[in-house]
Amino acid sequence: MARTYRETVTTPAAAARGVGSRGRPFVSLLSDFGLRDPSAGIMRAVVAGICPNAVIVDLAHDLDKFAIRDGALLLWSAVPYLTVGTHVAVIDPGVGTERKGIAIQVARGDVLVGPDNGLLMPAAARLGGITRAHLLENPRYSLPEVSSSFHGRDIFAPAAAHVADGVSIEDLGRAVDPRRLMALEWPRPAILPGRLRSQAIYVDTFGNVKLSALVEDLAAALPELHVGETLHVGVGNGAGGPVVTATWSRTFGEVALGAPLLTADSYGRVSLAVHQGSAAAAYGIGPDTALEISRASGPTRPPIPGR
Amino acid sequence: MARTYRETVTTPAAAARGVGSRGRPFVSLLSDFGLRDPSAGIMRAVVAGICPNAVIVDLAHDLDKFAIRDGALLLWSAVPYLTVGTHVAVIDPGVGTERKGIAIQVARGDVLVGPDNGLLMPAAARLGGITRAHLLENPRYSLPEVSSSFHGRDIFAPAAAHVADGVSIEDLGRAVDPRRLMALEWPRPAILPGRLRSQAIYVDTFGNVKLSALVEDLAAALPELHVGETLHVGVGNGAGGPVVTATWSRTFGEVALGAPLLTADSYGRVSLAVHQGSAAAAYGIGPDTALEISRASGPTRPPIPGR
Amino acid sequence: MARTYRETVTTPAAAARGVGSRGRPFVSLLSDFGLRDPSAGIMRAVVAGICPNAVIVDLAHDLDKFAIRDGALLLWSAVPYLTVGTHVAVIDPGVGTERKGIAIQVARGDVLVGPDNGLLMPAAARLGGITRAHLLENPRYSLPEVSSSFHGRDIFAPAAAHVADGVSIEDLGRAVDPRRLMALEWPRPAILPGRLRSQAIYVDTFGNVKLSALVEDLAAALPELHVGETLHVGVGNGAGGPVVTATWSRTFGEVALGAPLLTADSYGRVSLAVHQGSAAAAYGIGPDTALEISRASGPTRPPIPGR
C-alpha cells in the first residue's frame, strides 16, 4: 500500500501521466518574479483555474533576476525529486521578442514549459533527453489577451495547465527540431593530474559555493580521495587569490564551527562550504570565480602556462 | 473538454460559485506579513482547516509593511486572473481599533474579505462593483478567541473559509452601505495637450516603475503614439529633476541592455523600465515621484504655472 | 454543516486522523532553507509525490539560518492553529552527524517530524506532550539514496508523507524514550515584586520584540495592570541602556504613530512594539537582549545587586 518514493515517482510505470500522483496531475513552477509582487501567485492561480485538480508546487520564485543559468541549475537539481508532470520555468529577459515559447517532452514522461533560452535544457537532459518539442502557438491554450511582458501568466502557465489537464503537446503548435533549441551548458571542469580546475556556478542561501564540477570529476582528478583528507582550494585566476585549506567531508558538522569544508552537495555537485557560515562571504567567491582543488599533501601548485 | 481560461474563469456561467474550479472553491490570500514569520502560513492553515477542499493560492505576502495602496494595486492587478472565489487581503495597521472587518460581494460573484481601510475597493470596482457588503461580526465564523492584533488569522481567514464552504455573507454580520466603506483611489493623471502628468505608484521587484496612468491616458495625451517613438520623461516636480529619454516599446528586449523604455505593463498601466535593469534605481524614482511624459519631437517642456 | 474552527480542529473527536480535514491528511512544513533555492519546494514535492491527497501548508522557510530556537518558537506559535496532522520542521545544523531524526506523537494526535535537536519540543509540549517517539531508521520510508546534507528531502519529508498516508510511526524505527530527546526551553522570566525581568527571544518581520515572558507572567509581576497604564522597559543589563516609556495596550492603534507600546502578541506573549514602526530598530534590541518591565508610577528602578 505504502510505496517508496522511487516506486511512486520514477519507475517506468509512473511515467504514465497521473500514476505518480494517483490521478492528480503534478505541476511545478519556478521563476525570478520575486515574492513581493503577485506574479508568481497569479501564475499559480491561472494553473489552478484551468486544472483545479492539479497538485501545484512552487519550487522557487526569488531567483536572481534574469539569471537563466541559475534557473537551469535549480531546475536540474529539482526534477529528479518531482512527480512526473508538467514543469514551468520562467526566467525570461527576452519576453516579447523573437524568442519562442516551447513545450518539451522528455523520456521520463514530463513536459517542460518555458522560453527557448536554454533554461529548460539541463533538466531535459537529466530526465532522459528530449523526445519531442513544440512551439506554444495555439491561441486556444493561452489567455485570450497576451501581453508582451508576462508570458508566464499569458502563455506558459495556461499551456502547462492544459497539458496537465490532458492536452497533447502536439496541439500546442508546430513541432520544432530539438537540435535547434537554444543550448545551455555550464563550463566544464578541467580534470588534470592531481588537480581539478573548475568554477563557482551558484551560491545558495547558506553561502555554500556550488562548483561546475560533479563529485566524479573530483574523484577522477584526485584518485582515492578519502573523507577527512585536507585539500587546497585556490580561489581566483592567477597567483593573487587566497588558498583555502578545506577538509573533504561528508557533511558540515565534521569540521569545527566556522571551518571550511569541501563536500558533495545533496545533488552530487562539489561544494565549498563553511560550517554554520558562508563560504562565499568568507572567501569573496561569486558566480564564475575560478577555483582549483588539489591535495594538501601534493606538490605546491605549479605555475600554469597561460594564466 | 479543454476550455480556454476566459471560459473557465470569467464568463457569466462561471460566476456561479464553484464552476470555475469544478466544484472546488477558490481562495486567494494577500498580506504584508512577510515570509520569515509563519503568519501567512497560519492563515492558509486556518482556511484549509475549515475548508479542506479549497484551492488556496498565496498571491503575495512580502509587501511593504502597512502599504495599503500597494496592496490595493496588487489585488486590483491580480483579480482578473483569479477564479471566481473568495479573496482575503490583510494590510491592516488599524487592526484592533474601530476599523471594521468586511466581506464584499462583487458583480462577478467573488467575495472580498479584509479590513475596511480601502484595501479591497479598487479590486471590487474592477470586478464589476459592489453588490452588497457585510460586517464580520458573527462569532460563529471567527476563531473562538479573537486577538487584538492578528485578525487575518482570527477573523478574515475563518470568514473567508466559511464563505468558500458555503456560508452566505449575510450570515457574517449586519449589512453595510457600500458608500460608507473607506474609499481608496490612486491619484488621477492629468491629460494635457501633448503631455501627461502622472506619478509613480509602485516599484516592482525588477525596479520597473508603475505609473498612476493607464495606457489609454497616455494615448489621449499623445495621439497616434507609435512603437519606437522617443519620449521624454521629466522626473520630479520642478526644473531640477532629470529628463529621461525613453523609447515607447512593446517589451524590454526592443531596446539595448541598460536602456530605458516606456511600455504598457502586463496590466495596462504605463511603466518606466530599463532593459535588464532597475529604472527606479537608475533615476531615483520611488512611490509618489512625479513623472511627466511628452514627445521628444514636440516643443520643449514649457514652464508650468504654479510648479 | 458549517462548523467553527475549534470544532473542526481541536475537539477530541478531531484528533482522530483525517477528521479535521474531511479525510485529507494535513502536512505542514517549516525550515530555514530560504526561498531563493528550491529546497523547500522540493520537500513539498516529495510530500506530494508520496501523499498526493495531503493538504500541504508551508508555514515559513525564510527563518534565520541555524536558528533552532526561532524555529521552535514559531512552530510552538503555529501548531494550535493547524489541523491535527503531520508537521515537519527542519533547522538542522547537525545534519549528517550523530544527531538522530525523530517522529514524535503528541497527545492531540499530531506527529512531529524533524531532527532531535530541541526544535520540536516546545510544540510537542503545547500539543499535550509526547505520547511516543520513534527514530527515523526504516529505509523503506526514506528516499532510496540519502544524502549527508539534506535530510529534509531524503528522510523527514518522506517519513512525514508516509505517516500522513497511513504508516504508523512504530514502523519508522525503534522507540526512543522521550526523556532522552534533546530539550529546548527559552529562558524563564523572573517575576519580582513590581517588576518582570525577561529577555527578547524573537524579533518578527515588523520589528516587534517578543519576550520570553507570557502575559500571565507580567500580570503576576504587576498586579491589576490595566490597559492604558504607562510602563517602563529597561533595555539591556546594567545602568547603561535606555528606559522606554511604553503604554500597556491591546493593539498598535491605541498609541500615536511611532510611539512604543507593550502588548500581548497574538500568541499570548509579551511584546514590545512601535505603532507602524520597528521597536527592535528604535531601541537596539535583538535576540537575548535583557528587558525589565516596571510601573512608571512605581518607585524608580532600584539598583539591583550583582548587575
Side-chain angles (χ1 to χ4, degrees), chain B residues 9 13 16 18 83 92 94 111 113 118 126 128 139 149 151 184 194 205 213 222 234 263 281 287:
Chain B
V9 174
T83 299
D92 193 15
V111 173
V113 175
R126 193 157 195 198
S149 57
H151 286 188
L184 184 152
T205 67
L222 308 180
T263 186

Side-chain angles (χ1 to χ4, degrees), chain B residues 36-37 49 65 95 144 148 162, chain C residues 3 6 8 202-203 205 250:
Chain B
R36 197 190 53 168
D37 301 333
K65 303 294 189 199
V95 61
S148 51
H162 282 293
Chain C
R3 293 162 296 173
R6 292 284 183 213
T8 308
Y202 184 71
V203 175
T205 68
R250 278 165 309 196

Side-chain angles (χ1 to χ4, degrees), chain B residues 184-297:
Chain B
L184 184 152
E185 295 188 353
W186 14 97
R188 297 187 67 79
I191 299 170
L192 305 172
R195 57 209 162 93
L196 180 76
R197 266 192 233 156
S198 181
Q199 64 179 78
I201 58 170
Y202 185 70
V203 175
D204 75 14
T205 67
F206 289 87
N208 303 323
V209 175
K210 306 197 172 223
L211 274 63
S212 61
L214 301 178
V215 174
E216 48 260 41
D217 299 320
L218 186 62
L222 308 180
E224 299 178 49
L225 178 65
H226 63 271
V227 168
E229 187 170 350
T230 304
L231 300 175
H232 284 164
V233 184
V235 175
N237 282 308
V243 175
V244 179
T245 299
T247 307
W248 178 248
S249 308
R250 277 166 309 195
T251 193
F252 310 102
E254 292 176 356
V255 301
L257 274 181
L261 62 145
L262 276 162
T263 186
D265 80 357
S266 56
Y267 304 97
R269 197 168 284 284
V270 178
S271 175
L272 178 64
V274 163
H275 183 26
Q276 293 194 37
S278 164
Y283 309 120
I285 301 172
D288 298 320
T289 301
L291 296 169
E292 181 173 313
I293 305 175
S294 57
R295 294 195 132 105
S297 59

Side-chain angles (χ1 to χ4, degrees), chain C residues 227-231 245-250 254-255 259-263:
Chain C
V227 168
E229 188 171 349
T230 303
L231 300 175
T245 299
T247 307
W248 178 248
S249 308
R250 278 165 309 196
E254 292 175 357
V255 301
L261 61 146
L262 275 162
T263 187

Side-chain angles (χ1 to χ4, degrees), chain B residues 63-84:
Chain B
L63 276 65
D64 285 1
K65 303 294 189 199
F66 318 119
I68 296 171
R69 195 178 70 182
D70 285 5
L73 175 67
L74 299 181
L75 191 62
W76 174 93
S77 300
V79 286
Y81 300 94
L82 306 183
T83 299
V84 175

Side-chain angles (χ1 to χ4, degrees), chain B residues 1-120:
Chain B
M1 192 170 61
R3 294 163 295 174
T4 66
Y5 190 68
R6 292 284 181 211
E7 286 169 3
T8 309
V9 174
T10 59
T11 59
R17 195 179 66 82
V19 171
S21 50
R22 302 183 200 167
R24 295 188 67 190
F26 183 93
V27 178
S28 75
L29 303 172
L30 180 86
S31 79
D32 65 347
F33 292 150
L35 294 162
R36 197 190 53 168
D37 301 333
S39 308
I42 289 171
M43 279 213 300
R44 187 185 178 102
V46 167
V47 172
I50 293 169
C51 186
N53 199 38
V55 173
I56 307 173
V57 168
D58 292 294
L59 290 176
H61 294 291
D62 210 19
L63 276 65
D64 285 1
K65 303 294 189 199
F66 318 119
I68 296 171
R69 195 178 70 182
D70 285 5
L73 175 67
L74 299 181
L75 191 62
W76 174 93
S77 300
V79 286
Y81 300 94
L82 306 183
T83 299
V84 175
T86 309
H87 311 297
V88 183
V90 192
I91 296 172
D92 193 15
V95 61
T97 64
E98 291 298 299
R99 78 102 189 86
K100 301 298 187 184
I102 50 173
I104 294 174
Q105 189 140 32
V106 296
R108 195 180 74 166
D110 307 73
V111 173
L112 309 180
V113 175
D116 176 22
N117 64 11
L119 177 63
L120 309 174

Side-chain angles (χ1 to χ4, degrees), chain C residues 25-113:
Chain C
F26 183 94
V27 178
S28 75
L29 303 172
L30 179 87
S31 78
D32 66 347
F33 292 152
L35 294 162
R36 197 189 53 168
D37 301 334
S39 307
I42 289 171
M43 278 212 300
R44 187 184 178 100
V46 167
V47 173
I50 293 169
C51 187
N53 200 38
V55 173
I56 309 172
V57 168
D58 292 293
L59 290 176
H61 294 292
D62 210 19
L63 277 64
D64 286 1
K65 304 294 189 198
F66 318 119
I68 295 170
R69 195 179 71 181
D70 284 5
L73 175 67
L74 298 181
L75 191 63
W76 174 93
S77 300
V79 287
Y81 300 94
L82 306 183
T83 299
V84 174
T86 310
H87 312 297
V88 183
V90 192
I91 297 172
D92 193 12
V95 61
T97 64
E98 290 299 300
R99 77 100 189 89
K100 300 297 187 185
I102 50 172
I104 294 173
Q105 189 140 32
V106 295
R108 195 180 74 165
D110 308 73
V111 173
L112 309 180
V113 175

